[in-house]
Amino acid sequence: MRKLQRLLKFILPICFLFIGCSKEKLLDDQSSNKDVTDSQFLKIESSKTAIASNLKPIGSGVMMQAFYWDVPAGGNWWNTVRGKVQDWSNAGIDAIWLPPASKAQNGPFSMGYDPFDYFDFGQYDQMGSIETRFGSTNELKTLITSAHNAQLSVIADIVINHNSGGDSEINPVNGQSNWTKFTPLSGRFNRDFNDFHPNYSYTSDTGVFGGFPDLSHHQVRVQNELWKNSGSVAKYYKNEMGFDGWRFDYVKGFEPWVVKDWKNEVGGFTVGEYWDGNAGTLDWWTGQAEVSAFDFACYYKMRDAFEGNDLNKLNDDMLWKRNAARAVTFVTNHDTDEIFNGKMLAYAYILTHEGYPTIFYKDYEEWLDKNRLNNLIWIHNNLAGGSTNIVYTDDNEYIAKRNGYNNSGLMVYINNADYWQERWVETNWSNTVIKDYTGHSGWEQTTQLGRWVKIQAPPKSYSVWAPK
């Protein structure tokens, strides 16, 4: 048995490096057409650090997920990202989300989701390397400084549900041998069986992940070491490393109060990965945690709409429709990429609608037309204000109106058909010259006294209309 346990200690974490950190069964979606107003306070929901540093308020622009699964190993990723932050800022990005930055069990090969030493960012020789997959401590600090100089906030990916890489010890609670003895070279947050759930099994916690030792957040010592003490993980990330906000991994693994307490203790923009397609469940979690969540309900409805050729699905329930201030929308992330042919249409959707949109690194830098994405980012930052009204949908047409907030608002026309389409719509503008800010149609139109106008969209594309 001990030989098997020792073998599993090394095999399990490696296996889980080849899947996303949150592959779990999704609940069924629910539908709702509840109207909400645009939540503009996202534009001021920045940490005190961000405000003091004259950073762009998080929510005033667009977030960049500055990594993808299996970015190149070799310790150069922080330098790669550093070379792009100014261009991203110029394009309208206001924050970058980095992968888990501290040393994990698989050292130079790990994407960080098997955390071992929360205080080793690439300066201790342990787990097979000094640097992490992404680089050294100094390179990370230089990246964060460069991002701040470019007025970008930096979001840390926090993995506190499970740990990996500990030595074996006997748990006196159940008499079993578990991998729960952690003595990292940083000398900080040493852990043993007292810090983990005693029944090392899939039924011992809210959501155990992959058989890894599961931290017990009900233990006061764990709370102190993670976020409460002056030298806690959270305060070290913020005060020593310079992070401005938090992306919590696999929040189904612990209760919402954990994230709430962390945020209340250290501040900073906070978003949780609650992987669930049910908008009501997401709304519940954000209310309990009092932070944002990734809008998986929106993601799955976009997938069904654009890949299933049924844009009526965009009428269905999503987190941003319930509480836009808590919704972080996305088209792709490091775990899931199921929107293919309609990906630019999906970006046109999230960058013209409510919520805080996220751009995926590979979509922006490699796979899609960067100029078109920059155009949509500009439209989001300058035109996409106010509440949303869906004007028309059918299988391959979708038209919505943003009603404006310190700006004129817009009309977005998404066309998933293989031919041009046009439609008469009622706008908010009377006797006004409007134009397509994407340049796709080449039209300029004047609305009539009744505020009606004919707009058009190219095949498998979109147009965005607003006063000239």
Side-chain angles (χ1 to χ4, degrees), residues 26 66 71 98 110 119 130 185 224 238 243-244 250 253 282 390 398 462 464:
L26 302 178
V71 301
L98 299 183
S110 177
F119 296 91
I130 297 176
L185 286 182
N224 290 338
K238 179 180 179 181
F243 285 100
D244 308 294
Y250 190 57
L282 295 172
I390 298 176
Y398 174 88
Y462 54 87
V464 179

Side-chain angles (χ1 to χ4, degrees), residues 333-345:
N333 65 28
H334 61 292
D335 280 331
T336 181
D337 185 13
E338 301 171 272
I339 302 174
F340 302 107
N341 297 322
K343 185 170 279 189
M344 276 305 306
L345 305 188

Side-chain angles (χ1 to χ4, degrees), residues 197-386:
H197 288 277
N199 299 318
Y200 185 43
S201 71
Y202 286 93
T203 60
S204 65
D205 189 16
T206 303
V208 174
F209 179 77
F212 292 115
D214 191 54
L215 279 171
S216 177
H217 303 91
H218 291 277
Q219 295 281 22
V220 173
R221 178 180 179 276
V222 172
Q223 297 174 24
N224 290 338
E225 294 288 345
L226 284 178
W227 69 86
K228 288 184 177 180
N229 285 349
S230 60
S232 65
V233 172
K235 291 174 183 175
Y236 191 89
Y237 270 60
K238 179 180 179 181
N239 299 328
E240 298 297 325
M241 299 303 296
F243 285 100
D244 308 294
W246 323 99
R247 179 267 184 187
F248 278 89
D249 179 68
Y250 190 57
V251 296
K252 281 189 175 183
F254 42 89
E255 292 87 347
W257 64 262
V258 173
V259 177
K260 179 181 176 181
D261 278 12
W262 179 300
K263 166 71 179 294
N264 289 343
E265 181 70 30
V266 297
F269 175 82
T270 305
V271 57
E273 182 214 29
Y274 198 98
W275 193 331
D276 203 299
N278 187 311
T281 302
L282 295 172
D283 194 27
W284 165 81
W285 187 86
T286 60
Q288 294 292 308
E290 298 181 1
V291 301
S292 298
F294 288 101
D295 195 345
F296 279 93
C298 176
Y299 169 78
Y300 285 109
K301 294 304 179 185
M302 289 193 299
R303 179 200 64 183
D304 295 345
F306 296 119
E307 296 304 311
N309 297 313
D310 184 5
L311 300 196
N312 292 304
K313 294 290 186 181
L314 300 178
N315 287 317
D316 290 349
D317 199 9
M318 305 174 189
L319 178 59
W320 74 257
K321 297 182 181 183
R322 291 173 174 249
N323 190 346
R326 298 300 191 195
V328 178
T329 53
F330 66 100
V331 174
T332 308
N333 65 28
H334 61 292
D335 280 331
T336 181
D337 185 13
E338 301 171 272
I339 302 174
F340 302 107
N341 297 322
K343 185 170 279 189
M344 276 305 306
L345 305 188
Y347 274 114
Y349 181 84
I350 68 168
L351 288 164
T352 56
H353 284 64
E354 294 170 77
Y356 181 31
T358 305
I359 304 287
F360 184 57
Y361 179 94
K362 273 207 166 182
D363 285 344
Y364 187 83
E365 292 292 341
E366 299 180 23
W367 291 340
L368 300 179
D369 187 325
K370 186 181 294 188
N371 291 328
R372 292 181 69 185
L373 285 172
N374 284 342
N375 171 250
L376 285 171
I377 294 170
W378 184 92
I379 287 170
H380 172 270
N381 294 351
N382 292 277
L383 301 176

Side-chain angles (χ1 to χ4, degrees), residues 101-120:
S102 61
K103 188 69 64 65
Q105 176 175 357
N106 286 281
F109 308 107
S110 177
M111 284 298 296
Y113 291 98
D114 52 337
F116 173 75
D117 188 343
Y118 288 105
F119 296 91
D120 178 3

Side-chain angles (χ1 to χ4, degrees), residues 74 81 141 151 163 191 198 249 256 277 285 335 367 407 447 457:
V81 174
K141 286 185 174 181
Q151 295 186 297
N163 287 172
R191 285 144 279 166
D249 179 68
W285 187 86
D335 280 331
W367 291 340
N407 55 29
T447 62

